[in-house]
Amino acid sequence: MALLRRKRNFVDFEVQTSLLRRMALQWVAFLLVNSLALYCWTYLVNGAEESLGAHMRHFLQLYLPVLLVSAALLPVFLLDAAKLSNRFVGPILRVRRALAEAAKGGKVKPLHFRENDFWRSLADDLNSVLKLEADSKATEKPSL
């Protein structure tokens, strides 16, 4: 089976933006806590005889490049998370659509997920249920 390329990274805006927002907040908290720890460490190492302004300049000279690189990586991490979340959000969205169509009594085509998608067994299970339902409808006798 050929690998199908995803055309969109966001297929369920509510779920995926919630996940990305949480990741971004965790990353910011991580960076702030690490920066505070580094600041305290440099303060302890350099001693308390430096003024706070001099200490802050020294801290920025040492760690600003690392902080900037860390900040520049956030969009890369979030894009990767959006692509990963598509692998589980997209299949669930397709299952929801198939169930909605089945609830309306419509004909549902068998679901086939991409090779790298999560929940592949869910598609197989749903396909089995829909096949059983279609088979039972075909064998029902009309009532008089």
Side-chain angles (χ1 to χ4, degrees):
M1 173 185 264
L3 182 65
L4 300 174
R5 305 284 305 173
R6 285 168 177 72
K7 293 179 183 162
R8 296 182 308 157
N9 286 326
F10 287 91
V11 292
D12 190 332
F13 190 79
E14 179 184 0
V15 171
Q16 289 178 285
T17 56
S18 176
L19 175 68
L20 296 179
R21 190 177 318 109
R22 166 105 20 129
M23 287 182 67
L25 288 173
Q26 289 171 347
W27 180 89
V28 167
F30 171 79
L31 191 61
L32 289 175
V33 168
N34 278 334
S35 297
L36 181 60
L38 286 171
Y39 183 79
C40 291
W41 178 254
T42 57
Y43 186 77
L44 290 172
V45 168
N46 291 333
E49 56 273 352
E50 264 186 347
S51 70
L52 285 178
H55 181 65
M56 180 56 83
R57 280 190 299 279
H58 181 71
F59 172 78
L60 290 175
Q61 286 174 343
L62 286 174
Y63 298 112
L64 186 61
V66 173
L67 297 175
L68 291 176
V69 168
S70 297
L73 286 175
L74 179 62
V76 175
F77 295 153
L78 293 179
L79 179 60
D80 183 58
K83 288 179 180 181
L84 177 67
S85 68
N86 186 298
R87 291 177 50 204
F88 61 85
V89 173
I92 292 298
L93 185 65
R94 291 180 63 203
V95 168
R96 287 178 56 202
R97 287 179 183 158
L99 289 172
E101 186 63 31
K104 288 191 266 183
K107 182 165 172 46
V108 179
K109 295 177 184 174
L111 293 178
H112 300 284
F113 295 161
R114 293 175 180 95
E115 189 174 318
N116 291 328
D117 280 345
F118 295 108
W119 314 113
R120 291 177 60 106
S121 61
L122 181 63
D124 296 338
D125 294 342
L126 182 62
N127 290 338
S128 297
V129 168
L130 293 174
K131 184 179 182 315
L132 288 174
E133 185 179 326
D135 290 348
S136 69
K137 284 183 180 179
T139 59
E140 285 181 2
K141 294 183 180 183
S143 59
L144 297 173

